[in-house]
Amino acid sequence: SQQGEEDPQALSIQEGENATMNCSYKTSINNLQWYRQNSGRGLVHLILIRSNEREKHSGRLRVTLDTSKKSSSLLITASRAADTASYFCATDVGGFQKLVFGTGTRLLVSP
Amino acid sequence: DAGVIQSPRHEVTEMGQEVTLRCKPISGHDYLFWYRQTMMRGLELLIYFNNNVPIDDSGMPEDRFSAKMPNASFSTLKIQPSEPRDSAVYFCASSRWGAETQYFGPGTRLLVL
C-alpha cells in the first residue's frame, strides 16, 4: 500500500512561477526523499531530509518536513519548462533501504 | 558509470507466455530493487536483494512472479505465465550500503495481450 499521498495530483504553472507540492504520510519515518520522473523515464533522486531536520535547500529546491503533522512540502522556485515531470515523495517506513512511494504530483510548466 | 541498465525496454507478449526482465545494477552497489508502476497502484516495491540475497519479497504479487540475482551484476524478474493485468512499467533500482538514495533504471514497459 502507498504510504504517501501527494497534493495536488496535478499542477500547471507558467515559467518563472514557483511550484509547491505536498506529501502526507502515515507512520513515523527516519527520512523522506523526493524523486522526479520525466515522462517515460526512471525516477531521479532530488533531495533527502531527515526526521530531525525541518528544512533543506538544494539549488532551486526547498524541502520542509513537519513530523508532528506527518507532512512534507517541495518548493521549486523560478520554474522552467524542463521542470515538467512527476514528483514523488518516498519514505523509509519499511526499514532501512525499503522505500514506499507516494502517489505523485504531475507538474506542467508552460513557456 | 553507465547507470542501472534494464532490458528489454519494451516487451509485448501474449497471455500465457513467459516474460523475463533483466537488470544490471551500478557497479559496487549492494542493494537491488524491483518495482512495478501502474496508473492504478502507483509505484510498488516487488522485491529487493542485499548482496545477491533476497531480503523481502512480500510485494511479489503471486507465485507467477519470481526474481533471481545470480551475481552482483545481474538480476532477472520472471513472470510465468503472464496475464494482461501484469501490464505495467517495471523498474530496477540499486543503491549502496549506507546510502538511502536509490538509482533507477529506465524501466521495461510490458504489455501482455
Short mmCIF file of all heavy atoms in Angstrom, two decimals, chain B residues 61-109:
data_model
loop_
_atom_site.label_atom_id
_atom_site.label_comp_id
_atom_site.label_asym_id
_atom_site.label_seq_id
_atom_site.Cartn_x
_atom_site.Cartn_y
_atom_site.Cartn_z
N PRO B 61 3.47 -10.18 -6.28
CA PRO B 61 2.02 -10.38 -6.28
C PRO B 61 1.56 -11.82 -6.14
O PRO B 61 0.57 -12.08 -5.47
CB PRO B 61 1.57 -9.77 -7.61
CG PRO B 61 2.79 -9.55 -8.41
CD PRO B 61 3.95 -9.53 -7.52
N GLU B 62 2.23 -12.74 -6.72
CA GLU B 62 1.81 -14.13 -6.64
C GLU B 62 2.91 -15.03 -7.17
O GLU B 62 3.96 -14.55 -7.60
CB GLU B 62 0.51 -14.34 -7.41
CG GLU B 62 0.51 -13.75 -8.80
CD GLU B 62 -0.89 -13.62 -9.37
OE1 GLU B 62 -1.39 -14.61 -9.94
OE2 GLU B 62 -1.48 -12.53 -9.26
N ASP B 63 2.65 -16.33 -7.10
CA ASP B 63 3.69 -17.30 -7.46
C ASP B 63 4.12 -17.22 -8.92
O ASP B 63 5.14 -17.79 -9.28
CB ASP B 63 3.20 -18.73 -7.16
CG ASP B 63 3.07 -18.96 -5.67
OD1 ASP B 63 3.62 -18.15 -4.90
OD2 ASP B 63 2.44 -19.96 -5.28
N ARG B 64 3.36 -16.54 -9.72
CA ARG B 64 3.75 -16.43 -11.13
C ARG B 64 4.99 -15.55 -11.29
O ARG B 64 5.65 -15.57 -12.31
CB ARG B 64 2.60 -15.83 -11.94
CG ARG B 64 1.35 -16.68 -11.98
CD ARG B 64 0.29 -16.07 -12.89
NE ARG B 64 -0.16 -14.76 -12.44
CZ ARG B 64 0.19 -13.60 -13.01
NH1 ARG B 64 0.99 -13.60 -14.08
NH2 ARG B 64 -0.27 -12.46 -12.56
N PHE B 65 5.29 -14.78 -10.26
CA PHE B 65 6.44 -13.88 -10.29
C PHE B 65 7.61 -14.51 -9.52
O PHE B 65 7.42 -15.03 -8.41
CB PHE B 65 6.10 -12.55 -9.63
CG PHE B 65 5.23 -11.65 -10.47
CD1 PHE B 65 3.91 -11.98 -10.71
CD2 PHE B 65 5.73 -10.47 -10.99
CE1 PHE B 65 3.09 -11.15 -11.49
CE2 PHE B 65 4.93 -9.63 -11.76
CZ PHE B 65 3.61 -9.97 -12.00
N SER B 66 8.80 -14.43 -10.11
CA SER B 66 10.00 -14.88 -9.41
C SER B 66 11.16 -13.98 -9.80
O SER B 66 11.19 -13.42 -10.90
CB SER B 66 10.31 -16.34 -9.75
OG SER B 66 10.60 -16.47 -11.13
N ALA B 67 12.09 -13.81 -8.88
CA ALA B 67 13.26 -12.98 -9.14
C ALA B 67 14.50 -13.68 -8.65
O ALA B 67 14.46 -14.38 -7.63
CB ALA B 67 13.11 -11.62 -8.47
N LYS B 68 15.58 -13.48 -9.38
CA LYS B 68 16.86 -14.07 -9.00
C LYS B 68 17.96 -13.03 -9.16
O LYS B 68 17.85 -12.09 -9.94
CB LYS B 68 17.16 -15.28 -9.89
CG LYS B 68 16.23 -16.45 -9.71
CD LYS B 68 16.64 -17.62 -10.59
CE LYS B 68 15.71 -18.81 -10.40
NZ LYS B 68 16.08 -19.95 -11.27
N MET B 69 19.02 -13.26 -8.43
CA MET B 69 20.21 -12.43 -8.58
C MET B 69 21.41 -13.36 -8.46
O MET B 69 21.97 -13.54 -7.37
CB MET B 69 20.25 -11.32 -7.54
CG MET B 69 21.31 -10.29 -7.83
SD MET B 69 21.07 -8.78 -6.87
CE MET B 69 22.37 -7.77 -7.58
N PRO B 70 21.83 -13.98 -9.55
CA PRO B 70 22.90 -14.98 -9.51
C PRO B 70 24.27 -14.40 -9.19
O PRO B 70 25.14 -15.13 -8.70
CB PRO B 70 22.87 -15.58 -10.92
CG PRO B 70 22.21 -14.54 -11.77
CD PRO B 70 21.24 -13.84 -10.89
N ASN B 71 24.45 -13.11 -9.45
CA ASN B 71 25.72 -12.46 -9.10
C ASN B 71 25.48 -10.97 -8.90
O ASN B 71 24.36 -10.48 -9.13
CB ASN B 71 26.78 -12.72 -10.17
CG ASN B 71 26.35 -12.25 -11.54
OD1 ASN B 71 26.10 -11.07 -11.76
ND2 ASN B 71 26.25 -13.20 -12.47
N ALA B 72 26.51 -10.27 -8.50
CA ALA B 72 26.37 -8.86 -8.11
C ALA B 72 26.04 -7.94 -9.29
O ALA B 72 25.67 -6.79 -9.08
CB ALA B 72 27.65 -8.38 -7.44
N SER B 73 26.15 -8.43 -10.50
CA SER B 73 25.95 -7.56 -11.65
C SER B 73 24.76 -7.94 -12.52
O SER B 73 24.61 -7.43 -13.62
CB SER B 73 27.22 -7.53 -12.50
OG SER B 73 27.52 -8.84 -12.96
N PHE B 74 23.89 -8.82 -12.01
CA PHE B 74 22.80 -9.26 -12.86
C PHE B 74 21.62 -9.76 -12.04
O PHE B 74 21.80 -10.53 -11.08
CB PHE B 74 23.29 -10.37 -13.80
CG PHE B 74 22.27 -10.85 -14.79
CD1 PHE B 74 21.80 -10.01 -15.78
CD2 PHE B 74 21.78 -12.15 -14.72
CE1 PHE B 74 20.87 -10.45 -16.71
CE2 PHE B 74 20.84 -12.60 -15.64
CZ PHE B 74 20.39 -11.75 -16.63
N SER B 75 20.43 -9.35 -12.46
CA SER B 75 19.21 -9.85 -11.82
C SER B 75 18.13 -10.02 -12.88
O SER B 75 18.12 -9.32 -13.90
CB SER B 75 18.73 -8.88 -10.74
OG SER B 75 17.51 -9.32 -10.17
N THR B 76 17.24 -10.97 -12.63
CA THR B 76 16.11 -11.18 -13.52
C THR B 76 14.82 -11.18 -12.74
O THR B 76 14.77 -11.59 -11.57
CB THR B 76 16.22 -12.51 -14.28
OG1 THR B 76 16.27 -13.59 -13.34
CG2 THR B 76 17.44 -12.54 -15.18
N LEU B 77 13.78 -10.73 -13.38
CA LEU B 77 12.41 -10.84 -12.87
C LEU B 77 11.62 -11.60 -13.93
O LEU B 77 11.57 -11.18 -15.08
CB LEU B 77 11.80 -9.45 -12.65
CG LEU B 77 10.34 -9.42 -12.16
CD1 LEU B 77 10.24 -9.98 -10.74
CD2 LEU B 77 9.79 -7.99 -12.19
N LYS B 78 11.04 -12.71 -13.51
CA LYS B 78 10.35 -13.58 -14.46
C LYS B 78 8.87 -13.66 -14.11
O LYS B 78 8.50 -13.76 -12.93
CB LYS B 78 10.98 -14.97 -14.44
CG LYS B 78 10.45 -15.92 -15.49
CD LYS B 78 11.24 -17.23 -15.48
CE LYS B 78 12.66 -17.04 -15.90
NZ LYS B 78 13.40 -18.32 -16.03
N ILE B 79 8.06 -13.63 -15.12
CA ILE B 79 6.62 -13.80 -14.96
C ILE B 79 6.21 -14.99 -15.83
O ILE B 79 6.42 -15.00 -17.03
CB ILE B 79 5.82 -12.55 -15.41
CG1 ILE B 79 6.36 -11.29 -14.74
CG2 ILE B 79 4.34 -12.73 -15.07
CD1 ILE B 79 5.76 -10.00 -15.28
N GLN B 80 5.65 -16.01 -15.20
CA GLN B 80 5.27 -17.22 -15.90
C GLN B 80 4.09 -17.88 -15.21
O GLN B 80 4.23 -18.33 -14.07
CB GLN B 80 6.45 -18.19 -15.97
CG GLN B 80 6.13 -19.62 -16.38
CD GLN B 80 5.59 -19.75 -17.80
OE1 GLN B 80 5.70 -18.84 -18.60
NE2 GLN B 80 4.97 -20.89 -18.08
N PRO B 81 2.94 -17.98 -15.84
CA PRO B 81 2.58 -17.39 -17.13
C PRO B 81 2.14 -15.94 -16.97
O PRO B 81 1.64 -15.55 -15.92
CB PRO B 81 1.40 -18.26 -17.56
CG PRO B 81 0.72 -18.63 -16.27
CD PRO B 81 1.85 -18.78 -15.26
N SER B 82 2.32 -15.15 -17.99
CA SER B 82 1.93 -13.75 -17.91
C SER B 82 0.43 -13.58 -18.15
O SER B 82 -0.21 -14.42 -18.82
CB SER B 82 2.72 -12.93 -18.95
OG SER B 82 2.48 -13.43 -20.25
N GLU B 83 -0.12 -12.51 -17.56
CA GLU B 83 -1.53 -12.19 -17.70
C GLU B 83 -1.66 -10.72 -18.07
O GLU B 83 -0.76 -9.92 -17.76
CB GLU B 83 -2.28 -12.47 -16.40
CG GLU B 83 -2.27 -13.93 -15.98
CD GLU B 83 -3.06 -14.19 -14.72
OE1 GLU B 83 -3.65 -13.23 -14.17
OE2 GLU B 83 -3.09 -15.36 -14.27
N PRO B 84 -2.77 -10.33 -18.70
CA PRO B 84 -2.94 -8.92 -19.08
C PRO B 84 -2.78 -7.95 -17.92
O PRO B 84 -2.27 -6.84 -18.09
CB PRO B 84 -4.36 -8.90 -19.66
CG PRO B 84 -4.55 -10.27 -20.23
CD PRO B 84 -3.83 -11.18 -19.27
N ARG B 85 -3.18 -8.35 -16.73
CA ARG B 85 -3.07 -7.44 -15.56
C ARG B 85 -1.63 -7.23 -15.12
O ARG B 85 -1.36 -6.40 -14.24
CB ARG B 85 -3.88 -7.98 -14.39
CG ARG B 85 -3.47 -9.36 -13.89
CD ARG B 85 -4.49 -9.88 -12.91
NE ARG B 85 -4.29 -11.30 -12.61
CZ ARG B 85 -4.15 -11.78 -11.38
NH1 ARG B 85 -4.19 -10.97 -10.34
NH2 ARG B 85 -4.00 -13.08 -11.18
N ASP B 86 -0.70 -7.96 -15.70
CA ASP B 86 0.72 -7.74 -15.41
C ASP B 86 1.29 -6.58 -16.23
O ASP B 86 2.43 -6.18 -16.03
CB ASP B 86 1.54 -9.00 -15.71
CG ASP B 86 1.07 -10.20 -14.92
OD1 ASP B 86 0.55 -10.01 -13.79
OD2 ASP B 86 1.19 -11.34 -15.42
N SER B 87 0.52 -6.06 -17.16
CA SER B 87 0.96 -4.94 -17.98
C SER B 87 1.29 -3.75 -17.08
O SER B 87 0.46 -3.32 -16.27
CB SER B 87 -0.11 -4.56 -18.99
OG SER B 87 -0.37 -5.63 -19.89
N ALA B 88 2.49 -3.24 -17.22
CA ALA B 88 2.98 -2.18 -16.33
C ALA B 88 4.38 -1.79 -16.80
O ALA B 88 4.92 -2.37 -17.74
CB ALA B 88 3.05 -2.68 -14.89
N VAL B 89 4.94 -0.81 -16.11
CA VAL B 89 6.35 -0.50 -16.30
C VAL B 89 7.10 -1.06 -15.10
O VAL B 89 6.73 -0.78 -13.95
CB VAL B 89 6.61 1.02 -16.42
CG1 VAL B 89 8.09 1.28 -16.65
CG2 VAL B 89 5.78 1.62 -17.56
N TYR B 90 8.11 -1.85 -15.36
CA TYR B 90 8.90 -2.48 -14.31
C TYR B 90 10.26 -1.78 -14.22
O TYR B 90 10.97 -1.67 -15.21
CB TYR B 90 9.08 -3.97 -14.60
CG TYR B 90 7.78 -4.73 -14.46
CD1 TYR B 90 6.84 -4.75 -15.50
CD2 TYR B 90 7.46 -5.42 -13.28
CE1 TYR B 90 5.63 -5.42 -15.36
CE2 TYR B 90 6.26 -6.09 -13.15
CZ TYR B 90 5.35 -6.08 -14.19
OH TYR B 90 4.15 -6.74 -14.05
N PHE B 91 10.56 -1.31 -13.02
CA PHE B 91 11.83 -0.62 -12.79
C PHE B 91 12.74 -1.45 -11.91
O PHE B 91 12.30 -2.11 -10.97
CB PHE B 91 11.59 0.73 -12.10
CG PHE B 91 10.95 1.76 -12.97
CD1 PHE B 91 9.60 2.04 -12.85
CD2 PHE B 91 11.70 2.46 -13.90
CE1 PHE B 91 9.00 3.00 -13.65
CE2 PHE B 91 11.11 3.43 -14.70
CZ PHE B 91 9.75 3.69 -14.57
N CYS B 92 14.00 -1.34 -12.22
CA CYS B 92 15.05 -1.88 -11.36
C CYS B 92 15.80 -0.67 -10.79
O CYS B 92 15.98 0.35 -11.48
CB CYS B 92 15.98 -2.75 -12.20
SG CYS B 92 17.41 -3.38 -11.33
N ALA B 93 16.20 -0.77 -9.54
CA ALA B 93 16.97 0.30 -8.91
C ALA B 93 18.07 -0.33 -8.07
O ALA B 93 17.96 -1.49 -7.65
CB ALA B 93 16.07 1.18 -8.04
N SER B 94 19.12 0.43 -7.82
CA SER B 94 20.19 -0.08 -6.96
C SER B 94 20.67 1.03 -6.03
O SER B 94 20.44 2.22 -6.28
CB SER B 94 21.34 -0.65 -7.79
OG SER B 94 22.04 0.36 -8.48
N SER B 95 21.32 0.62 -4.96
CA SER B 95 21.88 1.58 -4.02
C SER B 95 23.05 0.95 -3.29
O SER B 95 23.22 -0.27 -3.26
CB SER B 95 20.81 2.04 -3.01
OG SER B 95 20.42 0.98 -2.17
N ARG B 96 23.85 1.82 -2.69
CA ARG B 96 25.00 1.36 -1.90
C ARG B 96 24.59 1.17 -0.44
O ARG B 96 23.71 1.88 0.06
CB ARG B 96 26.11 2.41 -1.95
CG ARG B 96 26.87 2.47 -3.24
CD ARG B 96 28.06 3.42 -3.10
NE ARG B 96 27.65 4.79 -2.83
CZ ARG B 96 27.83 5.41 -1.68
NH1 ARG B 96 28.39 4.78 -0.66
NH2 ARG B 96 27.46 6.66 -1.51
N TRP B 97 25.26 0.27 0.22
CA TRP B 97 25.05 0.11 1.65
C TRP B 97 25.38 1.41 2.34
O TRP B 97 26.41 2.03 2.06
CB TRP B 97 25.94 -1.00 2.20
CG TRP B 97 25.66 -1.28 3.64
CD1 TRP B 97 24.75 -2.14 4.16
CD2 TRP B 97 26.30 -0.65 4.76
NE1 TRP B 97 24.77 -2.10 5.52
CE2 TRP B 97 25.71 -1.19 5.92
CE3 TRP B 97 27.31 0.31 4.89
CZ2 TRP B 97 26.09 -0.81 7.20
CZ3 TRP B 97 27.70 0.69 6.18
CH2 TRP B 97 27.08 0.13 7.31
N GLY B 98 24.52 1.86 3.24
CA GLY B 98 24.77 3.08 3.98
C GLY B 98 24.23 4.34 3.32
O GLY B 98 24.23 5.41 3.92
N ALA B 99 23.77 4.21 2.09
CA ALA B 99 23.22 5.36 1.38
C ALA B 99 21.74 5.11 1.12
O ALA B 99 21.36 4.05 0.62
CB ALA B 99 23.94 5.56 0.06
N GLU B 100 20.92 6.09 1.43
CA GLU B 100 19.48 5.89 1.27
C GLU B 100 18.99 6.13 -0.15
O GLU B 100 17.90 5.72 -0.52
CB GLU B 100 18.70 6.82 2.23
CG GLU B 100 18.92 6.49 3.69
CD GLU B 100 20.02 7.32 4.33
OE1 GLU B 100 20.88 7.85 3.59
OE2 GLU B 100 20.03 7.45 5.56
N THR B 101 19.78 6.80 -0.95
CA THR B 101 19.37 7.15 -2.30
C THR B 101 19.38 5.93 -3.21
O THR B 101 20.33 5.16 -3.21
CB THR B 101 20.32 8.20 -2.89
OG1 THR B 101 20.28 9.37 -2.06
CG2 THR B 101 19.90 8.57 -4.30
N GLN B 102 18.31 5.79 -3.99
CA GLN B 102 18.24 4.72 -4.96
C GLN B 102 18.38 5.28 -6.37
O GLN B 102 17.87 6.36 -6.67
CB GLN B 102 16.91 3.97 -4.82
CG GLN B 102 16.79 3.25 -3.48
CD GLN B 102 15.54 2.41 -3.37
OE1 GLN B 102 14.85 2.12 -4.34
NE2 GLN B 102 15.23 1.98 -2.14
N TYR B 103 19.05 4.52 -7.23
CA TYR B 103 19.26 4.91 -8.61
C TYR B 103 18.43 3.98 -9.50
O TYR B 103 18.60 2.76 -9.44
CB TYR B 103 20.74 4.81 -8.98
CG TYR B 103 21.59 5.80 -8.20
CD1 TYR B 103 21.99 5.52 -6.91
CD2 TYR B 103 21.96 7.01 -8.78
CE1 TYR B 103 22.75 6.43 -6.19
CE2 TYR B 103 22.73 7.93 -8.07
CZ TYR B 103 23.11 7.64 -6.77
OH TYR B 103 23.85 8.55 -6.06
N PHE B 104 17.57 4.59 -10.28
CA PHE B 104 16.63 3.81 -11.07
C PHE B 104 17.12 3.62 -12.51
O PHE B 104 17.75 4.52 -13.09
CB PHE B 104 15.27 4.52 -11.12
CG PHE B 104 14.45 4.32 -9.88
CD1 PHE B 104 14.78 4.98 -8.70
CD2 PHE B 104 13.37 3.47 -9.88
CE1 PHE B 104 14.03 4.80 -7.54
CE2 PHE B 104 12.60 3.28 -8.74
CZ PHE B 104 12.94 3.95 -7.57
N GLY B 105 16.76 2.48 -13.06
CA GLY B 105 16.96 2.24 -14.48
C GLY B 105 15.84 2.90 -15.27
O GLY B 105 14.90 3.45 -14.70
N PRO B 106 15.91 2.79 -16.60
CA PRO B 106 14.91 3.44 -17.46
C PRO B 106 13.57 2.71 -17.50
O PRO B 106 12.59 3.25 -17.99
CB PRO B 106 15.58 3.43 -18.83
CG PRO B 106 16.48 2.25 -18.78
CD PRO B 106 16.98 2.16 -17.38
N GLY B 107 13.54 1.48 -17.00
CA GLY B 107 12.29 0.73 -16.96
C GLY B 107 12.08 -0.14 -18.18
O GLY B 107 12.66 0.08 -19.24
N THR B 108 11.25 -1.18 -17.98
CA THR B 108 10.78 -2.02 -19.07
C THR B 108 9.27 -1.87 -19.13
O THR B 108 8.58 -2.14 -18.15
CB THR B 108 11.13 -3.50 -18.85
OG1 THR B 108 12.54 -3.67 -18.88
CG2 THR B 108 10.48 -4.38 -19.91
N ARG B 109 8.78 -1.44 -20.28
CA ARG B 109 7.33 -1.29 -20.46
C ARG B 109 6.79 -2.60 -21.00
O ARG B 109 7.11 -3.00 -22.12
CB ARG B 109 7.04 -0.14 -21.42
CG ARG B 109 5.56 0.22 -21.53
CD ARG B 109 5.38 1.49 -22.34
NE ARG B 109 6.01 2.65 -21.72
CZ ARG B 109 5.44 3.43 -20.81
NH1 ARG B 109 4.20 3.18 -20.42
NH2 ARG B 109 6.09 4.46 -20.30
#
